[in-house]
Amino acid sequence: MQTKEFERKLGNFVKLLKKERGYLIKDDGEGLTNLLPEKESFVKILEEYHGDVSEKARELITAIKTQQEENLLLTRQAIGYHDMLMGAIKKNLDNPAGTYSKNAQVRGGVHNNLIDEEV
C-alpha cells in the first residue's frame, strides 16, 4: 500500500469516528452496532501498513487518537447516565406504593419518581 492510499484510509477512519460520535450523542445503539464491522475493517489496514509515515499521516493519527478519546468519554458519560437512571428506577421499585387500610386511609406515603429528589 502506498503512502497516499494509507493517508486516504486514515482520513476515512477519521470520518467513521466522527459518525460514531454522532451516534453516541444521539444514543443510537443500533447505529453504533452497524458501524462495528466498518471499524473492524480498519484494524487490518493499520496492522499491515509498513511504509513511511508522512507528516499528514501523523496528523491524521493524532486526529484519530483525539476522536477516539472523545468517543470514549461520550461512552462513559452515557453509561453513567444509564446507571443513574436504572438506579433511580430500582430504588423506586424497591419501595411499594401506599395502600388503603381498613379505615380507608392511605398507609405509606412513598412517591414513585424517576428523579431522586422532591421539589
Side-chain angles (χ1 to χ4, degrees):
M1 177 182 330
Q2 299 295 327
T3 304
K4 291 293 181 191
E5 184 181 355
F6 182 63
E7 291 171 356
R8 184 177 50 78
K9 292 188 183 222
L10 287 176
N12 290 339
F13 191 49
V14 171
K15 289 176 187 174
L16 183 67
L17 291 174
K18 288 182 180 184
K19 192 176 194 181
E20 180 183 53
R21 177 183 173 263
Y23 287 137
L24 286 167
I25 290 171
K26 294 176 186 174
D27 197 20
D28 182 358
E30 186 177 336
L32 286 171
T33 303
N34 293 337
L35 279 185
L36 191 59
E38 285 185 69
K39 275 185 86 172
E40 288 175 344
S41 71
F42 283 98
V43 172
K44 185 177 179 183
I45 293 166
L46 297 173
E47 286 178 342
E48 293 179 353
Y49 182 73
H50 298 291
D52 293 331
V53 179
S54 66
E55 187 61 35
K56 182 178 180 180
R58 289 182 201 279
E59 290 172 8
L60 289 167
I61 290 168
T62 301
I64 289 169
K65 183 180 177 192
T66 302
Q67 193 62 57
Q68 282 282 70
E69 289 171 355
E70 184 178 346
N71 290 356
L72 179 60
L73 181 64
L74 288 167
T75 301
R76 287 182 177 158
Q77 181 182 15
I79 289 171
Y81 172 75
H82 287 283
D83 286 347
M84 183 273 310
L85 184 62
M86 294 305 294
I89 291 170
K90 183 179 181 297
K91 184 178 175 184
N92 283 324
L93 291 176
D94 287 343
N95 298 323
T99 59
Y100 286 100
S101 69
K102 291 180 185 178
N103 302 327
Q105 297 198 0
V106 178
R107 289 189 294 186
V110 176
H111 302 286
N112 287 334
N113 299 318
L114 283 178
I115 299 176
D116 198 19
E117 61 183 66
E118 290 188 28
V119 180

